[in-house]
Amino acid sequence: MTIVPADPRVLEAWPAELASLPFGSPAFKEANQRLADEDQAACTPLARAMPTWINLTSTTACNLKCFMCNQFLDPNSPKVMMDEEVYQRVVRELYPYARTMQLSAFGEPLVTPGMDQKLDDLERHGLKLEMVSNGTLMMKESRFREQLLRCLELVTFSMDGATRPTYNSVRTGAEFDEVVDNVSKFAARRLEMPAAQRPRMNFNYILMRRTVAEAPKFVEMVHRWGGDHIVFNHLVTFHPSLKGESLNYCRAYANEWQDRTREVARQLGVSISIPPNFSDVQSPSPIAAPVVVPAAAAPAVEAPAESKPAVQRPCGPPPVKCWFLWQRVYIAPFGDVVPCCLAGMPAFGNLQKEAFYDVWNGATYQNHRKHVFTERPIGKCRTCYLIYPNAELAGADGFEY
């Protein structure tokens, strides 16, 4: 199959020896990855490479109603599927450069319609699939399941809690025992596959008052499943109703259980990413009353002995380097181009109004690339929970909205 560039201007930014490679070939994609790595390392405002990783918000629908999810908290949040013309533009303009596509991070990907076609397009263009799933539908019988496993490079199961009462109180609409059974079946099925074709299996876990004390037990569960990695992140309190669950308001308790989680992971050899401990354990006072928490799940919110001035974030690069602005892109159902997964991040452009290349190297993208690692990052980069992994490190801005 011969693939031609949808926008020849892209190749004008490439060095001649790279532009001479067969368009869309594995060697071409590898060269695009090298350019992206170089541009990210140099923090160049202008990106020579196209994204190496694409998220398609193929659906914003979800079969759960998790209390801390923006989809649930915003009653006006639309439940839509991706426009077909937007999808086809992504296939034409981005697939020849990228190595990985992730299905919806803002809904449950396995409710996406037309999965057979999407898997065919991935195989035809040489992309692998990533999914972040709540695990409720993962092992349901379906005629495309074997193709799904063949395309899958990484599945990340989002689970919060290691007991039925806690998990069910967070993941409303899911049943802990069923999800555990689904993940167990997937873990067994992947081990039957040849090692070179075996998809990785990661986990996301949100740290909050009701879940942090179960994090060590969750590490034990993942160890039994043979999981590859667990990412622990603090709850982002982008809605006032969530503040009572934030560990920013019970810091000593958070530090204790994060340390226990690290120790269990060390003993079992489980790979984890977990936020740094709070250095100042005197918690600020929450603005809103806490949400209802299961009995004995967490201590009462701590009240500070006295008010303290807000900690100012030090100038210079943040603790963790952003990997989005040069490598990744999120495409919303009706063509909005969004740079990352941060809740509330505005669109930088729209595919129904302009070519992707004009958005990717437009003024908004270039300004964000130019400032993200300075003392004056733009917009929501100031409060990013990925590069400032707890509210204390984010300083006066916090990572609350």
Side-chain angles (χ1 to χ4, degrees):
M1 179 186 64
T2 301
I3 304 174
V4 297
D7 190 339
R9 293 176 300 165
V10 178
L11 300 187
E12 295 173 5
W14 280 49
E17 66 273 19
L18 302 185
S20 65
L21 294 169
F23 184 70
S25 67
F28 182 89
K29 290 173 181 280
E30 183 179 347
N32 186 64
Q33 179 73 63
R34 287 201 304 273
L35 284 181
D37 291 341
E38 291 172 7
D39 289 346
Q40 179 177 321
C43 297
T44 58
L46 187 75
R48 295 172 297 167
M50 291 284 269
T52 62
W53 184 100
I54 308 160
N55 174 279
L56 294 184
T57 305
S58 53
T59 178
T60 61
C62 186
N63 56 333
L64 304 185
K65 294 182 178 180
C66 306
F67 77 88
M68 71 295 184
C69 177
N70 192 48
Q71 298 284 69
F72 171 69
L73 287 167
D74 179 3
N76 299 314
S77 179
K79 304 299 184 288
V80 298
M81 306 300 174
M82 174 164 274
D83 180 84
E84 181 63 20
E85 178 54 33
V86 169
Y87 170 73
Q88 292 300 336
R89 287 198 63 172
V90 171
V91 172
R92 292 194 303 271
E93 296 188 31
L94 297 179
Y95 272 26
Y97 305 89
R99 299 173 116 179
T100 304
M101 187 272 274
Q102 183 187 70
L103 277 174
S104 183
F106 301 101
E108 170 52 42
L110 287 178
V111 303
T112 299
M115 282 287 290
D116 302 76
Q117 174 200 349
K118 290 174 173 57
L119 296 177
D120 288 343
D121 290 338
L122 289 177
E123 292 193 300
R124 187 170 72 255
H125 286 272
L127 276 77
K128 298 296 286 185
L129 175 67
E130 287 187 7
M131 289 198 315
V132 180
S133 174
N134 58 40
T136 58
L137 307 174
M138 190 67 207
M139 295 307 290
K140 300 295 184 185
E141 291 295 334
S142 60
R143 63 189 179 88
F144 67 84
R145 189 173 71 179
E146 290 308 308
Q147 186 182 19
L148 175 68
L149 290 170
R150 187 168 68 244
C151 291
L152 200 59
E153 180 177 59
L154 166 67
V155 61
T156 300
F157 292 111
S158 295
M159 297 182 68
D160 310 303
T163 65
R164 185 174 183 271
T166 298
Y167 174 87
N168 286 8
S169 77
V170 175
R171 299 269 164 181
T172 304
E175 168 50 53
F176 178 74
D177 293 336
E178 292 180 4
V179 172
V180 168
D181 185 60
N182 281 343
V183 175
S184 299
K185 288 177 179 176
F186 178 80
R189 177 67 183 88
R190 71 190 281 263
L191 291 179
E192 296 171 358
M193 301 172 67
Q197 301 171 18
R198 191 175 298 158
R200 302 194 310 280
M201 181 173 63
N202 289 358
F203 294 84
N204 287 337
Y205 189 104
I206 299 177
L207 297 169
M208 48 185 140
R209 288 178 61 228
R210 73 177 72 184
T211 65
V212 67
E214 294 184 9
K217 184 174 182 179
F218 187 74
V219 172
E220 295 172 354
M221 291 170 60
V222 172
H223 178 255
R224 290 194 296 272
W225 283 325
D228 293 297
H229 188 68
I230 310 170
V231 176
F232 293 98
N233 277 319
H234 280 294
L235 175 71
V236 178
T237 52
F238 54 82
H239 189 275
S241 67
L242 301 177
K243 289 187 181 292
E245 282 285 355
S246 173
L247 293 174
N248 192 34
Y249 306 118
C250 45
R251 294 182 175 187
Y253 181 71
N255 286 357
E256 174 189 355
W257 285 104
Q258 288 184 186
D259 283 340
R260 293 191 189 189
T261 303
R262 293 186 186 96
E263 179 58 22
V264 171
R266 185 193 66 78
Q267 291 177 359
L268 297 178
V270 175
S271 173
I272 68 170
S273 299
I274 192 166
N277 283 1
F278 293 99
S279 59
D280 182 357
V281 296
Q282 180 172 303
S283 303
S285 179
I287 295 172
V291 297
V292 176
V293 182
V301 176
E302 299 168 6
E306 59 183 54
S307 298
K308 298 183 71 175
V311 177
Q312 294 299 315
R313 181 177 58 218
C315 295
V320 179
K321 195 168 186 179
C322 171
W323 59 90
F324 286 95
L325 291 171
W326 291 267
Q327 300 262 3
R328 299 190 171 203
V329 69
Y330 287 71
I331 309 295
F334 298 110
D336 279 348
V337 178
V338 183
C340 71
C341 59
L342 196 63
M345 185 61 113
F348 285 11
N350 186 283
L351 288 184
Q352 297 196 66
K353 299 176 181 177
E354 53 199 320
F356 178 82
Y357 185 71
D358 292 325
V359 179
W360 186 238
N361 275 313
T364 304
Y365 254 112
Q366 292 202 45
N367 282 335
H368 277 73
R369 292 180 186 128
K370 191 182 300 182
H371 290 96
V372 66
F373 298 132
T374 71
E375 67 275 17
R376 292 186 300 277
I378 293 175
K380 292 193 176 295
C381 292
R382 295 194 309 270
T383 57
C384 175
Y385 68 94
L386 293 175
I387 59 178
Y388 298 106
N390 71 38
E392 181 181 45
L393 289 175
D397 288 326
F399 55 44
E400 300 173 350
Y401 299 97

